[in-house]
């Protein structure tokens, strides 16, 4: 069974035939909201709104451990994360869809592992390739099948938020090799790896990052919602094709 974690701009799947909503308790507290079970075609999927169904949970306050644990407990095998980002690379303009293959973590203070606390042994995971190659390949195939343009490589910089970045900060991220910047990529990806879940992310470029393109002097926050509204329909088509396939 596949799970979709929706970020800003994707708080629900319009084509999802909802069968039930389930409140889940975890050893790490409550997830962002009830898990929504439903069908896309003949396949069962689970949807979870990362920021809550009223978009009330800031990126640094998301209970990432509870979210991933709750999905794992439902026998989910794969997780597709959908997240909005700012484009650092010149060609990553608003409306671009990117399938990142690497990530750099700049967050701090977030509970980022299941392997801590009394009685838990120190456990290391391999994170050389942070995203599942098999799930990424399925997303690429689905995008091609429905004719949606998708950039298949990119480095995601995970920032703390909730504020956006300064020009100097984005310059630093670019020097570090980042192509886009978002606020929710970590520790979600690492926790999914710890839980043994296949995990991949579809990044939706909502705006140019600070100092780039139309954001040379300021990010036009009032335009982001419109970009996400237009672009999320393409994300839904990719996910629907992947599930159907």
């Amino acid at each position: 069974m596949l799970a979709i974690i929706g970020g800003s701009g994707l708080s629900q799947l319009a084509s999802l035939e909802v069968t039930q909503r389930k409140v889940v308790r975890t050893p790490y507290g409550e997830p962002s909201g009830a898990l929504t079970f439903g069908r896309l075609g003949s396949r069962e999927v689970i949807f979870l709104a990362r920021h809550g169904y009223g978009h009330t949970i800031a990126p640094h306050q998301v209970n990432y451990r509870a979210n991933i644990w709750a999905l794992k407990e439902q026998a989910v095998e794969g997780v597709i994360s959908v997240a909005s980002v700012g484009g650092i690379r010149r060609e990553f303009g608003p409306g671009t869809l990117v399938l990142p293959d690497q990530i750099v973590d700049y967050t701090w203070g977030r509970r980022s592992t299941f392997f801590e606390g009394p009685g838990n042994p120190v456990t290391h995971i391999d994170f050389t390739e942070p995203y599942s190659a098999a799930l990424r390949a399925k997303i690429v195939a689905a995008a091609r099948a429905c004719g949606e343009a998708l950039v298949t490589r990119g480095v995601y910089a995970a920032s703390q938020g909730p504020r956006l970045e300064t020009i100097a900060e984005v310059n630093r991220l670019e020097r570090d090799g980042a192509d886009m910047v978002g606020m929710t990529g970590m520790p979600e990806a690492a926790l999914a790896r710890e839980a043994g879940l296949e995990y991949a992310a579809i990044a939706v470029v909502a705006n140019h990052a600070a100092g780039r393109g139309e954001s040379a002097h300021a990010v036009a926050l009032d335009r982001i919602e419109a970009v996400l509204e237009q672009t999320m329909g393409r994300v839904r088509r990719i996910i629907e094709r992947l599930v159907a396939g």
Side-chain angles (χ1 to χ4, degrees):
M1 185 162 53
L2 187 69
I4 297 100
I5 300 178
S8 298
L10 189 68
S11 60
Q12 60 182 346
L13 284 174
S15 55
L16 183 68
E17 181 185 342
V18 176
T19 56
Q20 68 167 318
R21 289 185 172 88
K22 183 177 181 180
V23 176
V24 178
R25 308 287 185 225
T26 83
Y28 305 99
E30 294 188 3
S32 295
L35 303 183
T36 300
F37 291 73
R39 291 188 175 277
L40 285 175
S42 60
R43 295 282 300 278
E44 187 175 19
V45 299
I46 298 176
F47 181 83
L48 175 63
R50 182 186 291 112
H51 299 286
Y53 289 95
H55 204 269
T56 57
I57 306 172
H60 66 293
Q61 295 178 317
V62 172
N63 192 338
Y64 295 96
R65 293 197 300 180
N67 287 350
I68 294 298
W69 185 272
L71 295 175
K72 175 71 172 179
E73 287 291 287
Q74 309 309 309
V76 162
E77 296 179 353
V79 176
I80 296 178
S81 160
V82 180
S84 60
V85 299
I88 298 175
R89 192 194 297 182
R90 184 185 302 274
E91 57 267 35
F92 283 9
T96 304
L97 298 182
V98 187
L99 192 66
D101 64 315
Q102 282 293 327
I103 193 165
V104 184
D105 188 8
Y106 299 92
T107 66
W108 52 270
R110 302 183 182 188
R111 305 303 292 269
S112 58
T113 180
F114 294 117
F115 303 124
E116 64 180 8
N120 279 321
V122 175
T123 303
H124 302 286
I125 59 167
D126 175 55
F127 209 49
T128 305
E129 302 286 347
Y131 301 103
S132 163
L135 188 51
R136 291 182 74 255
K138 291 178 182 178
I139 295 171
V140 171
R144 288 174 178 165
C146 60
E148 293 294 349
L150 178 70
V151 180
T152 58
R153 297 180 69 87
V155 178
Y156 178 117
S159 65
Q160 179 69 359
R163 67 166 177 83
L164 301 184
E165 301 74 31
T166 68
I167 293 175
E169 287 170 333
V170 174
N171 289 344
R172 175 201 176 192
L173 300 181
E174 186 172 37
R175 289 195 300 270
D176 286 351
D179 300 305
M180 69 201 91
V181 56
M183 301 176 189
T184 58
M186 287 292 285
E188 191 173 89
L191 290 166
R193 179 64 53 85
E194 287 188 353
L197 299 176
E198 299 291 312
Y199 178 91
I202 300 175
V204 180
V205 180
N207 56 277
H208 289 285
R212 274 81 184 145
E214 297 174 353
S215 303
H217 302 290
V219 176
L221 297 175
D222 57 330
R223 299 179 188 174
I224 290 177
E225 185 175 351
V227 172
L228 292 178
E229 184 175 346
Q230 294 170 4
T231 312
M232 285 303 174
R234 297 168 52 204
V235 174
R236 292 188 186 96
R237 283 192 289 274
I238 293 172
I239 292 173
E240 289 166 3
R241 180 55 65 95
L242 185 153
V243 171

